[in-house]
């Protein structure tokens, strides 16, 4: 890593992130170990560690055995130095977790839905109440049932008060902490991927019928696919029958209702979508929400998909806890923000 004598702000951030990441991954380290790991000079590492120890960001855990000279100090990262908030908005409720720097959940809770009139004020009050109880919160990840571009929600049907709203900018100014806003399915597929330790080259699709219409999260070769206009995964619009797209085929002319998928017309619509994904992306796994589907129906989808695509190309079809995957994905995004600026 190149060093400059007068460390600019960007270089300072890179070095701090490197130290934080290394200490969290290694558990503990000496100045020399960090210097070797990060390829940064010992005096620079010493200067940064001295300031971090003074701030309470790192903790001295003891001295290493001597090999003849002075015993080396061993440091660990203080997981309680700052906290993160992950919160997601759904039609029926708002879910959140507060977590520390090593991902331990301090609190998990629910609040009434804010996807109604005056929703922004309700959400702001909800976050303010949480931050009053946890003043160490230094980053926030918000999940929404809509398409997001750089923190601005640009497609969220049914919730006009959030349409074309820069939620990231609004809350960064209001709370003076970094904020990330993510689409629900992108967060869920990221959470499933990270929580199960997949290798980077895996490709996954996460499908959810959802309270707000169907959606998909897509990971190809380890990266979340958001698309050129951040519209990736809006599978409602995939044309399937003569005059019907996927959402219309799934609803079959009825008002959307939250029940398990079981009817033949639903299974056929999903089988066609699975076949489309296989033909275009050929993923390793397609994940369904266990609120949507039962194992017996999953087997029927596998059989149904084989009508449209050779069965040897079908991925593993599995089920998972969407809510937990969603929160875990938001937590991953929040932890990333914390590593960049744990300066509460």
């Amino acid at each position: 890593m190149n060093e400059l004598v007068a460390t600019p702000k960007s270089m300072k951030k890179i070095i701090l992130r490197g130290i934080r990441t290394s200490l969290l991954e290694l558990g503990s380290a000496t100045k020399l170990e960090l210097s070797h790991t990060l390829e940064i000079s010992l005096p620079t590492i010493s200067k940064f560690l001295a300031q971090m120890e003074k701030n309470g960001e790192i903790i001295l855990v003891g001295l290493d055995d001597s090999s003849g000279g002075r015993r080396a100090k061993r440091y660990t990262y203080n997981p309680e130095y700052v906290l993160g908030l992950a919160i997601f908005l759904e039609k029926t409720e708002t879910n959140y977790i507060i977590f520390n720097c090593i991902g331990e959940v301090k609190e998990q809770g629910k609040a009434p839905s804010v996807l109604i009139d005056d929703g922004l004020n309700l959400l702001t009050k909800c976050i303010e109440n949480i931050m009053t109880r946890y003043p160490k919160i230094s980053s926030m990840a918000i999940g929404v049932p809509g398409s997001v571009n750089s923190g601005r929600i640009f497609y969220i049907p049914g919730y006009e008060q959030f349409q074309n709203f820069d939620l990231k900018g609004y809350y960064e100014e209001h709370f003076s902490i970094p904020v990330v806003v993510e689409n629900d399915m992108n967060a869920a597929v990221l959470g499933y991927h990270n929580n199960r330790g997949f290798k980077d080259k895996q490709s996954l699709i996460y499908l959810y019928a959802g309270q707000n219409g169907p959606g998909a999260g897509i990971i190809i070769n380890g990266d979340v696919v958001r698309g050129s206009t951040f519209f990736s995964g809006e599978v409602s619009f995939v044309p399937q029958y003569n005059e019907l797209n996927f959402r219309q085929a799934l609803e079959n002319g009825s008002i959307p209702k939250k029940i398990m998928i079981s009817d033949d017309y639903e299974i056929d619509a999903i089988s066609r979508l699975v076949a489309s994904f296989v033909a275009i992306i050929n993923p390793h796994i397609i994940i369904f929400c266990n609120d949507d589907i039962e194992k017996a129906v999953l087997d029927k989808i596998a059989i149904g998909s084989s009508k449209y695509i050779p069965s040897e190309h079908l991925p593993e079809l599995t089920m998972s806890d969407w809510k937990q995957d969603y929160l875990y994905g938001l937590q991953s995004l929040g932890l990333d923000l914390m590593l960049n600026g744990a300066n509460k």
Side-chain angles (χ1 to χ4, degrees):
M1 186 182 288
N2 294 325
E3 290 185 54
L4 302 175
V5 178
T7 308
K9 201 172 180 181
S10 60
M11 185 55 68
K12 183 180 176 184
K13 280 185 79 169
I14 290 166
I15 294 170
L16 279 170
R17 183 184 174 91
I19 293 170
R20 289 170 184 140
T21 303
S22 297
L23 284 174
L24 289 168
E25 284 175 356
L26 297 169
S28 68
T30 63
K31 292 176 185 177
L32 192 60
E33 287 167 353
L34 287 170
S35 175
H36 287 159
T37 300
L38 298 170
E39 298 180 347
I40 296 171
S41 70
L42 201 56
T44 300
I45 289 287
S46 297
K47 184 180 81 174
F48 275 86
L49 289 184
Q51 188 59 50
M52 291 169 83
E53 186 178 12
K54 185 180 173 185
N55 294 346
E57 189 172 355
I58 61 171
I59 302 165
L60 178 64
V61 287
L63 303 172
D64 279 13
D65 292 337
S66 173
S67 55
R70 185 188 295 174
R71 295 168 70 192
K73 292 178 178 178
R74 180 161 289 277
Y75 296 94
T76 189
Y77 198 81
N78 175 9
E80 306 298 325
Y81 177 63
V82 288
L83 302 174
L85 169 64
I87 186 165
F88 75 73
L89 320 182
E90 271 286 276
K91 194 174 190 175
T92 55
E93 63 190 17
T94 302
N95 288 270
Y96 68 87
I97 53 172
I98 294 109
F99 53 93
N100 67 13
C101 296
I102 54 174
E104 290 173 343
V105 175
K106 314 295 289 180
E107 182 185 316
Q108 182 160 349
K110 291 179 187 177
S113 175
V114 298
L115 290 177
I116 52 172
D117 292 338
D118 204 32
L120 187 65
N121 283 334
L122 285 174
L123 180 57
T124 304
K125 282 177 184 149
C126 174
I127 296 168
E128 283 171 348
N129 288 338
I130 292 169
M131 291 183 79
T132 301
R133 288 185 288 117
Y134 293 94
K136 285 189 171 184
I137 287 172
S138 74
S139 74
M140 180 162 51
I142 306 173
V144 297
S147 300
V148 181
N149 182 352
S150 306
R152 182 178 65 86
I153 304 165
F154 67 88
Y155 177 73
I156 185 166
Y159 308 114
E160 275 64 40
Q161 74 274 27
F162 287 103
Q163 181 76 21
N164 287 318
F165 187 71
D166 180 7
L167 202 59
K168 171 183 164 71
Y170 180 81
Y171 281 131
E172 283 189 338
E173 187 175 332
H174 189 87
F175 292 111
S176 299
I177 60 172
V179 175
V180 61
V181 181
E182 183 58 282
N183 163 265
D184 52 2
M185 295 312 303
N186 288 346
V189 76
L190 180 69
Y192 185 91
H193 179 275
N194 291 355
N195 204 15
R196 284 159 180 77
F198 281 103
K199 293 188 171 57
D200 285 345
K201 298 303 174 192
Q202 294 278 3
S203 296
L204 318 175
I205 309 286
Y206 208 131
L207 276 177
Y208 183 42
Q211 298 176 11
N212 304 286
I218 304 166
I219 282 182
I220 297 180
N221 295 339
D223 294 320
V224 175
V225 176
R226 293 180 174 85
S228 63
T229 61
F230 297 85
F231 202 64
S232 174
E234 295 293 346
V235 293
S236 289
F237 296 99
V238 174
Q240 285 206 324
Y241 301 87
N242 287 346
E243 302 283 332
L244 302 179
N245 62 31
F246 176 64
R247 178 170 188 165
Q248 291 162 341
L250 208 57
E251 292 172 1
N252 198 32
S254 65
I255 296 167
K257 50 193 183 298
K258 191 69 181 126
I259 53 170
M260 299 287 274
I261 288 162
S262 59
D263 292 323
D264 287 345
Y265 69 84
E266 294 172 314
I267 290 167
D268 187 56
I270 293 168
S271 298
R272 287 168 182 251
L273 189 66
V274 166
S276 300
F277 273 127
V278 174
I280 297 165
I281 295 169
N282 193 16
H284 296 85
I285 300 174
I286 295 182
I287 308 118
F288 293 84
C289 170
N290 56 15
D291 284 345
D292 284 343
I293 220 154
E294 291 177 338
K295 178 69 172 71
V297 175
L298 214 56
D299 295 338
K300 286 182 181 178
I301 290 168
I303 294 164
S305 302
S306 301
K307 289 186 211 166
Y308 306 109
I309 207 96
S311 59
E312 64 265 27
H313 302 299
L314 284 179
E316 177 190 344
L317 304 182
T318 190
M319 299 179 297
S320 187
D321 184 332
W322 179 78
K323 180 175 155 185
Q324 284 307 119
D325 292 331
Y326 191 174
L327 284 169
Y328 196 86
L330 291 174
Q331 182 180 324
S332 299
L333 294 168
L335 282 168
D336 197 55
L337 287 181
M338 289 160 79
L339 288 173
N340 275 330
N343 56 0
K344 189 74 174 170

